[in-house]
Amino acid sequence: MKILFAANRFPYPPYRGDKLKIYNLAKRLCKDHELHLLTFLEEESDLQYLENLDGIFKHIHLVRLGKITSYINVLKGFVGSEPLQSAYFRSSKMFRKVNTLLKEENYDAVHIQHLRMAQYFIEHKEIPRILDLPDAFSLYWMRRTDASSGLRKWFNYKEYKRIKAYEPKLKAFDKVLVCSREDLAWLETQSNLNNVSLLPNGVDAEFFENPTPDYYTNRNKILFTGNMDYAPNIDGVLYFCKEIFPLILEKHPKAQFIIAGQRPVKEILALQSEKVIVTGFVPSLKDWYKEASIVVSPLRFGAGTQNKVLEAMAMGVPIISTNIGFEGLNIFSGEGVIVAMDTVPFAQACIRLLSDAKMRKEVGQVGVGVIRSQFDWNIISNFLIGYCVEVNRMKKQQP
């Protein structure tokens, strides 16, 4: 098939989030399909990575979008009704580029990443279109509103209302994809969408390989990974440090909490101490997973499936998580992840695992099996091709 990937961000380096997903899907699909890439160039420094995408995309189309332009777009967006994150990525150049490409190229399907890119393809009903959402955004912003206060709460609520009003328009796409059953159910019931299917997040099971047998002797390192300028991660880490970690230290005074993630904001940097290590950017999280006794995901808002959970599962590291990021995995508590919803149960779960190497191994090894059977990128990429074939066939059958 000939497929256009329309991404809101340049998909390299593939460290986290949106970039990770596009890169890993395309890396596998390019072996049997002709892939083209259309994306924004926000940083000129990204041009150095073009050679890393050679052999993956036959053609790469870049549209420059400066931050000043994006900020002006957001200011203008306050007087309108569209989601501000869509306004941030609004570009007349991108509209023209999309129109040109769809006239000149005969794509079998277009894979559109993120709500931010929906605006460029929502009217192009002549082409098979798949909109791939990382989560149900209205659910995410509702939870973000509930977890905030003051001016930030007001802003979050306004964005929630904008997205909630916009999501029913996504019926215009041939298919909408989300990564968890929770998000799917939300869009069906709250936005009345009838075109939603699942495309789980994935993990490179070969790279994040199963640890060596003596791995589970580690007992004092608690790890959190993720971009540390991302609101749910910031809130979750602050919550863990202030309320959960002190309870753990009462039973395990030698425990350390490692916060591994790029772009830590000042609130996170201020946590640095003998007991709390803030790494900043690390080129390979795999090394930190090898050192970790347990991984924690104490998120209180957000949606979708968390990469940090999948990577830790692939490595065989047991995870303690709230329901955020867990509900979409379609597994039971204990299958790589132990669910704990409140402060004391969360701390108690951490204490039990830190105290019991056998339990760490049992929980971790079950997680490895789940990843290899359900969440390997090779499996996920096959799902996506199946959806591309489906929407292409649907379009051909339309009168």
Side-chain angles (χ1 to χ4, degrees):
M1 299 188 77
K2 183 177 179 180
I3 304 171
L4 175 65
F5 277 77
N8 65 298
R9 297 195 188 278
F10 189 85
Y12 204 91
Y15 290 130
R16 308 302 298 176
D18 300 345
K19 297 185 178 187
L20 187 75
K21 186 173 188 178
I22 288 292
Y23 177 79
N24 278 287
L25 288 172
K27 181 181 177 181
R28 286 152 179 82
L29 294 181
C30 70
K31 299 173 184 177
D32 300 307
H33 305 276
E34 180 182 324
L35 308 183
H36 296 205
L37 174 66
L38 171 64
T39 188
F40 285 110
L41 181 68
E42 296 180 277
E43 303 287 346
E44 293 295 319
S45 59
D46 284 339
L47 292 172
Q48 67 181 303
Y49 300 121
L50 282 173
E51 62 182 22
N52 296 95
L53 301 180
D54 285 347
I56 296 179
F57 297 103
K58 183 176 181 180
H59 296 295
I60 297 176
H61 306 279
L62 302 176
V63 175
R64 284 176 167 79
L65 181 67
K67 282 191 166 34
I68 293 178
T69 299
S70 294
Y71 295 152
I72 293 173
N73 286 344
V74 170
L75 290 174
K76 291 180 179 178
F78 273 106
V79 300
S81 60
E82 70 173 327
L84 292 180
Q85 59 186 292
S86 296
Y88 184 96
F89 284 89
R90 193 167 185 83
S91 164
S92 58
K93 292 180 182 179
M94 180 60 80
F95 275 108
R96 290 195 295 269
K97 189 65 176 179
V98 168
N99 291 336
T100 299
L101 285 176
L102 295 186
K103 287 179 182 178
E104 294 179 349
E105 301 283 356
N106 185 25
Y107 297 114
D108 294 304
V110 180
H111 176 270
I112 303 140
Q113 184 194 40
H114 218 289
L115 185 75
R116 300 160 182 168
M117 296 298 288
Q119 58 191 311
Y120 298 108
F121 294 90
I122 196 165
E123 300 296 335
H124 284 284
K125 298 181 180 180
E126 76 280 5
I127 190 80
R129 299 153 302 150
I130 296 174
L131 177 64
D132 192 349
L133 303 176
D135 46 41
F137 282 100
S138 57
L139 174 61
Y140 166 81
W141 282 92
M142 182 188 73
R143 287 173 169 169
R144 184 165 176 169
T145 300
D146 292 341
S148 57
S149 60
L151 184 60
R152 183 170 294 177
K153 188 181 187 74
W154 173 85
F155 174 84
N156 290 341
Y157 178 73
K158 292 294 184 183
E159 182 69 351
Y160 159 71
K161 296 295 288 185
R162 288 168 181 257
I163 293 171
K164 191 72 165 58
Y166 185 82
E167 280 180 342
K169 299 177 183 179
L170 303 183
K171 292 178 183 177
F173 290 92
D174 300 290
K175 188 167 289 292
V176 174
L177 301 178
V178 291
C179 63
S180 82
R181 297 186 185 280
E182 179 188 27
D183 296 87
L184 186 151
W186 177 270
L187 289 176
E188 287 183 338
T189 58
Q190 299 298 316
S191 298
N192 296 316
L193 297 185
N194 58 4
N195 57 342
V196 188
S197 296
L198 282 176
L199 184 71
N201 277 336
V203 66
D204 189 335
E206 293 182 5
F207 179 78
F208 292 101
E209 62 187 352
N210 198 14
T212 56
D214 63 348
Y215 175 80
Y216 295 100
T217 58
N218 299 339
R219 59 172 296 172
N220 291 319
K221 286 188 171 60
I222 304 169
L223 176 66
F224 179 95
T225 69
N227 290 337
M228 292 317 305
D229 59 351
Y230 179 52
N233 290 343
I234 296 169
D235 176 79
V237 165
L238 293 175
Y239 164 56
F240 183 85
C241 284
K242 293 177 180 178
E243 300 187 37
I244 299 173
F245 194 39
L247 300 178
I248 297 172
L249 288 174
E250 291 178 6
K251 298 294 184 179
H252 290 277
K254 294 183 180 180
Q256 278 190 317
F257 182 43
I258 315 297
I259 305 166
Q262 60 185 340
R263 300 188 300 271
V265 297
K266 62 181 181 180
E267 296 99 319
I268 299 301
L269 292 172
L271 298 172
Q272 180 79 39
S273 68
E274 181 182 353
K275 292 295 182 182
V276 179
I277 309 300
V278 181
T279 69
F281 171 76
V282 291
S284 176
L285 288 170
K286 182 177 179 179
D287 296 332
W288 283 107
Y289 287 124
K290 286 181 177 179
E291 292 292 321
S293 310
I294 58 175
V295 166
V296 294
S297 181
L299 303 191
R300 297 191 290 184
F301 65 95
T305 305
Q306 305 301 320
N307 289 319
K308 64 178 71 63
V309 172
L310 297 176
E311 291 170 354
M313 288 175 69
M315 291 287 292
V317 190
I319 304 111
I320 301 91
S321 176
T322 60
N323 67 322
I324 305 299
F326 171 80
E327 290 187 353
L329 293 174
N330 194 31
I331 62 175
F332 293 103
S333 180
E335 296 182 336
V337 186
I338 293 175
V339 179
M341 290 301 299
D342 296 314
T343 301
V344 173
F346 200 108
Q348 289 174 339
C350 293
I351 291 167
R352 286 199 307 274
L353 283 169
L354 290 174
S355 304
D356 190 340
K358 182 181 178 181
M359 183 181 181
R360 291 200 299 275
K361 184 174 183 178
E362 289 175 351
V363 174
Q365 289 301 301
V366 174
V368 172
V370 170
I371 289 297
R372 293 191 176 275
S373 64
Q374 298 184 43
F375 294 102
D376 185 277
W377 280 121
N378 293 312
I379 297 173
I380 307 305
S381 61
N382 287 333
F383 286 159
L384 179 56
I385 278 299
Y387 290 135
C388 289
V389 171
E390 179 185 343
V391 298
N392 182 273
R393 183 174 62 248
M394 289 168 51
K395 191 64 66 177
K396 288 180 179 179
Q397 291 174 349
Q398 290 177 0

